[in-house]
Amino acid sequence: MAVPVIQQVKVAKYILGKKLTGQKRYPLVLMLEPLFQCNLACSGCGKIDYPKEILQKRVSVADALKAVDECGAPMVSIPGGEPLIHKELPQIVEGIVARKKFVYLCTNAILLPKHIDEYKPSPYFTWSIHLDGLKEQHDRAVSMEGVFEKAVAAIKLARSKGFRVTVNCTLFNGEHPKEVADFFDYAMTLGIEGITVAPGYSYQHAPKQDVFLGRTQSKQLFRDIFGEGKKRDANWVFNLSPMYLDFIAGNQAYQCQPWGTVTYNVFGWQKPCYLLVDEGYASSYKELMETTHWENYGVGRNPKCDNCMAHCGFEGTAVNDTFAHPLKALRVALKGPCIDGPMAPDLPVTYGKRADATAVKIPVSAIQRPAESAEVETHVEL
Ligand code: SF4
Ligand code: SF4
């Protein structure tokens, strides 16, 4: 299985429309975080370190759909926290699907069996199941025994009911290429559409700080994993563009385009991206696009971006490169990323030279700006 043709065509049409009208910055994906509360506490998570009153807030159905309409992105990813804790999530998903946008509901799957019948199978709706490895690795990553089995059972259940399903995998320090390859082999046997994979971003607010990969480590790890795949003649399908895979294998010196994946959550529109949580918020999409100092973010431009190779920053760049150099992209798509030879050099570091290098702004407190429409809930489903 792969991304359905209808999705590929609609997204390509959207990008071409933007290019033909000369728009330089536009989102491919809206990350809609309807809450930060979660029923797990993974060691590499940068989303759950908020006080109780923030964890209890919810983005309302009206605000969620307004964000979808405001930014116009053809794909909406719903991470969290754990989105299935949000009682109005079925209405949010239904509203997005009615707009013919492609929704990826990212869940740790613990609550999926309880809530699955609140959703309908559709080409516009995909369960994106968090799975960071085989049993031992995944249960360690989520800091709880038994979650791997629950996630696998949930994948099988969703497939049996005719849903689109992908696996969402983050790789951390200490991964073994062979084990990751074994995991990818196994994931593909579950009948999933594809695997989304990225090196974990080193969140300042994550419970553990020694789990994150450095930039060169990430590139080598992906080369080793792809090399293992070649040896096995593996049939892995990734829910990512071939050029992004080439980038994480160290063959492309891409700059981040954070506007390619915009983020809306209980604080409003997050500047500049899904990963950086201390840079401030905008009250509208227009304000986000017009007031964010985009030039202060990306490889070599900001120390907080040093180790980032996440798809929310670089998939947009990879897609643009695909449109600009289709033959190169076709070659990578057919042959896979290069796994030996010198890596593309990283972009130069300029933040030490910038006059405002120390003025990468941290707002007084992001948590002082809750969305007005957010409501309080106290019960967390486990
Ligand atoms: S399941 Fe996701 S949101 Fe919840 S703690 Fe883990 S990484 Fe964070
Ligand atoms: S490189 Fe881009 S996506 Fe990564 S943290 Fe910086 S701005 Fe965000």
Side-chain angles (χ1 to χ4, degrees), residues 31 168-170 196-199 239-240 244 247-248 257 260-261 275 308-317:
M31 299 294 266
N168 186 0
C169 162
T170 308
T196 307
V197 63
N239 202 28
L240 297 158
Y244 175 77
F247 163 69
I248 55 176
Q257 296 186 354
T261 301
L275 300 168
C308 179
M309 299 184 80
H311 35 79
C312 64
F314 296 90
E315 182 64 284
T317 317

Side-chain angles (χ1 to χ4, degrees), residues 65-124:
L65 297 179
K66 187 169 164 231
V68 172
D69 291 338
E70 264 189 76
C71 77
M75 292 179 278
V76 181
S77 181
I78 307 182
E82 171 49 56
L84 293 179
I85 293 171
H86 193 307
K87 291 197 165 41
E88 293 176 318
L89 196 70
Q91 291 96 298
I92 293 175
V93 169
E94 196 181 341
I96 304 171
V97 168
R99 285 162 170 76
K100 298 203 181 315
K101 309 275 183 189
F102 296 94
V103 187
Y104 286 81
L105 202 174
C106 309
T107 172
N108 59 39
I110 293 174
L111 295 172
L112 191 149
K114 181 174 172 189
H115 292 284
I116 193 164
D117 291 331
E118 296 162 14
Y119 301 86
K120 291 190 198 103
S122 158
Y124 291 94

Side-chain angles (χ1 to χ4, degrees), residues 38 40-42 45 48 80-81 108 130:
C38 192
L40 286 177
C42 306
C45 184
I48 51 174
N108 59 39
H130 174 187

Side-chain angles (χ1 to χ4, degrees), residues 293-325:
H293 294 285
W294 302 108
E295 68 283 1
N296 286 356
Y297 301 99
V299 185
R301 293 174 174 169
N302 190 312
K304 293 178 185 176
C305 300
D306 277 352
N307 287 336
C308 179
M309 299 184 80
H311 35 79
C312 64
F314 296 90
E315 182 64 284
T317 317
V319 169
N320 275 338
D321 193 25
T322 303
F323 274 79
H325 304 102

Side-chain angles (χ1 to χ4, degrees), residues 23 56 82 115 122 185 241 244 263 287 313:
Q23 290 188 52
Q56 289 171 342
E82 171 49 56
H115 292 284
S122 158
D185 282 344
S241 71
Y244 175 77
T263 300
E287 185 189 323

